[in-house]
């Protein structure tokens, strides 16, 4: 199964763009929060409704690591943030 489409809100896009432009020389990382929608015609769409930019815990150039607490917070955000009305923004 492979994705055939990705739908992302404008707010999520700007969050990702701002995070990407926050540094000139370092890699960045973050998590996209969303769900997968399977349609009757076989297409699979990712519905991205949130972004969780992560700060680096290690400043070495060959590392992009984050604190486990940040990942846990992003997981909690995913659990409490999703509501059916959020998906309606995509349509």
């Amino acid at each position: 199964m492979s994705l055939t489409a990705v739908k992302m809100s404008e707010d999520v896009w700007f969050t990702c763009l701002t995070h990407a432009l926050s540094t000139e020389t370092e890699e960045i990382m973050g998590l996209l929060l969303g769900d997968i929608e399977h349609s009757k015609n076989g297409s699979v769409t990712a519905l991205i409704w949130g972004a969780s930019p992560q700060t680096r815990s290690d400043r070495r150039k060959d590392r992009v690591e984050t604190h486990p607490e940040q990942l846990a917070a992003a997981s909690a955000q995913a659990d409490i943030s999703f509501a059916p009305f959020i998906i309606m923004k995509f349509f």
Side-chain angles (χ1 to χ4, degrees):
M1 164 183 62
S2 60
L3 286 176
T4 53
V6 176
K7 294 182 180 182
M8 178 184 297
S9 72
E10 204 172 88
D11 290 341
V12 171
W13 174 253
F14 284 125
T15 298
C16 294
L17 182 62
T18 301
H19 187 50
L21 296 175
S22 67
T23 181
E24 293 181 18
T25 59
E26 294 178 339
E27 290 186 52
I28 59 165
M29 64 184 284
L31 302 167
L32 294 176
L33 308 173
D35 292 288
I36 301 295
E37 178 183 74
H38 300 269
S39 69
K40 292 180 182 178
N41 67 2
S43 66
V44 181
T45 303
L47 302 172
I48 308 300
W49 48 263
S52 179
Q54 304 288 295
T55 57
R56 294 169 65 119
S57 64
D58 193 330
R59 297 313 256 178
R60 292 180 283 178
K61 289 188 181 242
D62 64 339
R63 301 278 191 277
V64 181
E65 298 176 2
T66 188
H67 294 287
E69 295 84 6
Q70 286 184 342
L71 294 175
S75 177
Q77 178 186 357
D79 287 342
I80 64 172
S81 295
F82 178 73
F85 66 86
I86 294 174
I87 293 178
M88 299 303 289
K89 289 183 179 180
F90 296 107
F91 302 104

